[in-house]
Amino acid sequence: MYSDANRWEQLILSHMSNLRILDIQYDNIIIDNHNGNQVISNTPIDNFTSSFWIKRRIIPLKQLTKLVVESNPLPLTKLIELLRCTPHIHTLVLKSMSLYGVNYNSIQQNQSFQLVSNTNTITNVTCNGECTLEKLQILVALFSRIQHLTTKLYANNLESCVRFLLEKTNQNTNHLCLLSLLSAYKIWYTRLRTLIESETLLDDYMLKMIDWNLYLWWQH
């Protein structure tokens, strides 16, 4: 039943006309006749790409490429669970993220964290809530392929956070080339330029203030 696309079509037409996202995890349990062990295999469900699904814009989570999470705040553990179900996301937008009960060093030993970190292909991350240095450390460890980061920073953490992101020894930011700081103060332009020049953090870069947002582009 669960992998039968035709039966799902009838069910949706009859009872769930407003459905837009369908997530099915299907495990097929097979008994090994040689030793009696149970073997669980994940059976691909390829029949959910017919015109019925396309016309109604109903897609499995595994086909999503952009994820916008409005939950406020979203616990990191819940985010990791969600990302395990959406392996093809390349753009992630978070209203805010909670690190309650999470330690930077210990979370990196978590198997789910390691799995998502090694397999996700997210390159564009927006976190509309204020980021601390610890939150940035976790974000770039989780999204090591990140190219564009949009976030807010606290004024007293500006230099330490930007320094961390631009460190040449930081393997998790090798692909990062655009930092967008939302709701920035105009004095931050001078503070960032002074930081970059005095510590030679970047050779080829552009810093620009547009309205109340500060943008930093650079080449590796």
Side-chain angles (χ1 to χ4, degrees):
M1 157 63 186
Y2 296 110
S3 62
D4 189 332
N6 292 327
R7 295 186 67 177
W8 274 108
E9 289 180 18
Q10 297 303 316
L11 180 63
I12 292 169
L13 287 173
S14 302
H15 303 288
M16 297 183 288
S17 58
N18 293 322
L19 183 69
R20 288 295 175 267
I21 295 178
L22 175 68
D23 183 36
I24 298 176
Q25 181 175 341
Y26 177 69
D27 292 332
N28 186 23
I29 300 178
I30 304 171
I31 303 297
D32 189 336
N33 292 326
H34 294 288
N35 52 31
N37 292 334
Q38 288 186 346
V39 179
I40 299 178
S41 63
N42 293 319
T43 302
I45 303 174
D46 298 324
N47 297 325
F48 291 84
T49 56
S50 67
S51 59
F52 171 86
W53 304 95
I54 296 173
K55 288 179 181 178
R56 287 161 180 78
R57 297 183 180 179
I58 301 175
I59 59 174
L61 284 177
K62 287 189 175 181
Q63 291 186 13
L64 292 178
T65 57
K66 181 177 181 179
L67 180 63
V68 179
V69 183
E70 293 290 345
S71 175
N72 186 23
L74 179 69
L76 177 62
T77 52
K78 295 296 183 182
L79 174 61
I80 292 173
E81 290 178 15
L82 184 57
L83 292 176
R84 289 189 65 175
C85 301
T86 53
H88 299 299
I89 295 294
H90 59 68
T91 298
L92 175 66
V93 180
L94 302 173
K95 188 173 183 179
S96 66
M97 185 179 72
S98 170
L99 297 183
Y100 180 78
V102 174
N103 176 272
Y104 170 65
N105 292 320
S106 62
I107 192 63
Q108 293 188 87
Q109 308 305 317
N110 180 279
Q111 289 186 349
S112 294
F113 184 96
Q114 293 176 357
L115 175 64
V116 172
S117 176
N118 291 331
T119 59
N120 83 83
T121 57
I122 295 173
T123 59
N124 191 338
V125 177
T126 297
C127 185
N128 288 312
E130 282 82 1
C131 269
T132 61
L133 177 58
E134 183 179 26
K135 189 174 291 187
L136 280 181
Q137 291 172 330
I138 291 175
L139 279 176
V140 299
L142 187 58
F143 308 118
S144 58
R145 297 165 185 81
I146 187 171
Q147 298 176 13
H148 179 195
L149 173 62
T150 301
T151 190
K152 296 178 182 177
L153 295 178
Y154 293 103
N156 59 343
N157 286 339
L158 178 65
E159 281 83 2
S160 60
C161 287
V162 173
R163 182 184 295 111
F164 164 74
L165 292 173
L166 299 183
E167 285 178 344
K168 293 180 174 62
T169 57
N170 190 344
Q171 298 297 317
N172 292 326
T173 57
N174 280 343
H175 304 286
L176 186 64
C177 58
L178 172 57
L179 174 63
S180 303
L181 298 179
L182 306 176
S183 303
Y185 297 99
K186 291 186 177 181
I187 189 63
W188 287 15
Y189 178 94
T190 302
R191 288 174 60 181
L192 279 193
R193 183 171 291 279
T194 300
L195 172 70
I196 294 170
E197 296 292 339
S198 63
E199 300 187 14
T200 321
L201 295 176
L202 295 172
D203 297 320
D204 187 2
Y205 72 95
M206 180 183 298
L207 189 63
K208 192 167 186 178
M209 191 87 182
I210 302 177
D211 296 327
W212 291 101
N213 300 326
L214 183 58
Y215 301 91
L216 174 62
W217 296 267
W218 67 93
Q219 292 185 354
H220 292 279

